[in-house]
Amino acid sequence: QVQLVDSGGGEAQPGRSLRLSCAASGFTFSSFGIHWVRQAPGKGLEWVAGVSYDGTNKYYADSVKGRFTISRDFSKNTVWLQMNSLRAEDTAVYYCARDDGYNYGFDYWGQGTLVTVSS
Amino acid sequence: DIQMTQSPSSLSASVGDRVTITCRASQGIRNDLGWYQQKPGKAPKRLIYAASSLQSGVPSRFSGSGSGTEFTLTISSLQPEDFATYFCLHHFSYPWTFGQGTKVEIK
């Protein structure tokens, strides 16, 4: 069955870095785009970044552009989100999600990993 | 960037009620919109894709309509398991954006 397992969250000080990972299984990894969506405590959902099925196209929200980098490793069936220059406002649960392949949004989601940025 | 305005932000309803939630896009997005349900501590779950197509496994009391800039999610007869927060998401162009959410509470 399709499974996305996100991990790598934790605490970081402002200005530091963290790397999140999304391990995929149960489907042909190279056929689907993967995205990151976050949710600050008690707030709504915010799309953060996405990478196309073949890794050639990457997209970012303005709020993270220049600080976050999304990438994918086809040998490991994993998508990474490298988060640099972290800010307090990056504190959130981060979910990875699979683009359904028809550009109709997200059909599967990971369980989420909490990132806390605090001094 | 395209903004999604969702209303209401919350509502109280009883089991069996008909519930309607609306999302308005700041510009036309064809039918590139989905609806998601989220329960506390859980990842969102897609209910509707392409504005009006029911996700496999989702009860038929959920329906979506609209195109262009106005979209609606309807729950025809609210059930106890439907008390949750609902979000719309457009995927017409990057950056994709969510509506602010509608929390459906028990009256």
Side-chain angles (χ1 to χ4, degrees):
Chain A
Q1 70 281 19
V2 173
Q3 196 167 11
L4 299 172
V5 178
D6 28 40
S7 61
E11 289 193 25
Q13 293 181 326
R16 306 291 288 206
S17 300
L18 278 176
R19 188 175 75 160
L20 306 183
S21 64
C22 174
S25 60
F27 65 98
T28 303
F29 181 69
S30 58
S31 295
F32 294 86
I34 301 291
H35 297 247
W36 289 94
V37 173
R38 69 184 180 184
Q39 187 168 38
K43 302 297 185 182
L45 299 168
E46 179 187 16
W47 174 83
V48 172
V51 59
S52 60
Y53 68 99
D54 59 0
T56 58
N57 295 304
K58 301 175 184 181
Y59 310 93
Y60 299 94
D62 288 346
S63 57
V64 307
K65 201 172 293 183
R67 300 188 299 122
F68 290 11
T69 302
I70 191 170
S71 60
R72 63 192 301 163
D73 184 333
F74 294 96
S75 68
K76 293 182 169 62
N77 281 8
T78 296
V79 171
W80 310 100
L81 185 68
Q82 178 67 42
M83 305 187 296
N84 298 333
S85 303
L86 283 164
R87 304 168 180 168
E89 54 264 37
D90 295 321
T91 294
V93 174
Y94 286 71
Y95 298 98
C96 63
R98 189 183 83 163
D99 182 334
D100 68 2
Y102 298 95
N103 199 37
Y104 287 150
F106 307 130
D107 57 354
Y108 287 93
W109 296 66
Q111 81 284 1
T113 186
L114 176 63
V115 171
T116 303
V117 183
S118 173
S119 55
Chain B
D1 298 356
I2 298 171
Q3 308 303 317
M4 302 302 299
T5 302
Q6 186 172 340
S7 61
S9 56
S10 65
L11 64 90
S12 294
S14 301
V15 172
D17 283 354
R18 182 182 182 88
V19 168
T20 299
I21 299 168
T22 297
C23 264
R24 178 179 292 114
S26 58
Q27 65 187 74
I29 58 169
R30 301 179 307 202
N31 69 337
D32 292 343
L33 181 121
W35 290 96
Y36 296 78
Q37 176 194 66
Q38 187 181 32
K39 295 183 177 179
K42 299 294 187 181
K45 169 188 170 184
R46 189 169 68 177
L47 304 174
I48 300 289
Y49 65 93
S52 59
S53 295
L54 189 67
Q55 177 73 32
S56 175
V58 172
S60 59
R61 61 181 180 273
F62 291 94
S63 64
S65 64
S67 181
T69 60
E70 294 279 337
F71 301 87
T72 299
L73 172 70
T74 300
I75 310 172
S76 60
S77 177
L78 199 65
Q79 298 301 300
E81 60 268 31
D82 301 337
F83 291 96
T85 301
Y86 295 83
F87 296 91
C88 63
L89 166 68
H90 95 78
H91 42 83
F92 176 77
S93 62
Y94 288 102
W96 295 1
T97 50
F98 290 88
Q100 299 93 325
T102 296
K103 186 173 184 179
V104 177
E105 299 176 303
I106 302 172
K107 183 183 283 185

